C-alpha cells in the first residue's frame, strides 16, 4: 500500500528580504574551507539548513554543510555550522577534482531536502567535455 500526500496550492502574497550574512574568507570547519555556498534548503523538523558548496572539489571534495541560522527581529544574527557531508560517487568514494579526473568532477549548484523520504537531492551544472583532450 502506498500513502500519497498531495501538496495544496499555496499563494505567497509577497517576499521580504531579511538580509545577507558573510562567512569569513577562508573560514575552516571540520578540516574544510567553507565557501562557494550556492544552494540552500531547510529541514523544518530538525530546524537545520543545508548549504551546498560549489567549489568543484578543487579545495575539498564536493560537499554540503548543515547549519543553524539564528535570526533576530531585523536580520540574520548568526550562522553556526554543525556538520559537513561529502558527496560520494557510485563507488562510495568522494568525487575527484579536475586534476584527478576532469570528466567526472562535479560542479555542485543546488540541493533540495525531501522531508517525506528524508533524502537529499543535488544538481551538478558541470562542464561539458566533448573530446579526449
Amino acid at each position: 500500500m502506498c500513502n500519497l500526500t498531495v501538496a495544496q496550492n499555496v499563494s505567497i502574497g509577497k517576499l521580504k528580504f531579511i538580509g545577507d550574512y558573510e562567512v569569513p574568507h577562508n573560514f575552516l570547519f571540520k578540516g574544510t574551507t567553507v565557501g562557494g555556498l550556492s544552494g540552500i534548503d531547510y529541514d523544518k523538523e530538525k530546524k537545520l539548513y543545508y548549504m551546498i558548496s560549489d567549489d568543484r572539489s578543487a579545495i575539498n571534495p564536493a560537499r554540503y554543510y548543515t547549519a543553524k541560522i539564528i535570526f533576530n527581529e531585523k536580520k540574520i544574527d548568526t550562522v553556526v555550522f554543525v556538520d559537513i557531508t561529502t558527496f560520494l560517487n557510485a563507488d562510495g568514494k568522494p568525487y575527484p577534482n579536475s586534476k584527478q579526473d576532469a570528466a567526472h568532477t562535479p560542479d555542485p549548484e543546488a540541493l533540495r531536502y525531501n522531508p517525506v523520504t528524508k533524502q537529499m537531492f543535488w544538481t551538478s551544472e558541470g562542464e561539458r567535455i566533448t573530446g579526449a583532450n
Side-chain angles (χ1 to χ4, degrees), residues 36-86:
L37 302 175
S38 66
I40 187 168
D41 206 359
Y42 184 64
D43 181 342
K44 185 177 177 181
E45 183 180 312
K46 294 181 181 177
K47 297 181 180 169
L48 293 172
Y49 290 85
Y50 304 113
M51 297 177 273
I52 196 167
S53 175
D54 69 356
D55 83 7
R56 303 189 68 183
S57 295
I59 298 172
N60 300 112
R63 64 206 177 277
Y64 71 89
Y65 294 93
T66 305
K68 292 182 180 185
I69 299 179
I70 301 162
F71 299 89
N72 65 27
E73 319 69 56
K74 298 181 180 180
K75 63 181 179 121
I76 298 170
D77 183 69
T78 309
V79 176
V80 179
F81 290 90
V82 296
D83 207 359
I84 178 174
T85 301
T86 300

Side-chain angles (χ1 to χ4, degrees), residues 4-6 9 21 27 50 76 88 95-96 99 101 103-104 108 117:
L4 180 64
T5 303
V6 179
N9 290 334
Y21 184 91
F27 178 73
Y50 304 113
I76 298 170
L88 304 178
Y95 283 89
K99 292 178 183 170
D101 184 354
H104 294 99
T117 63

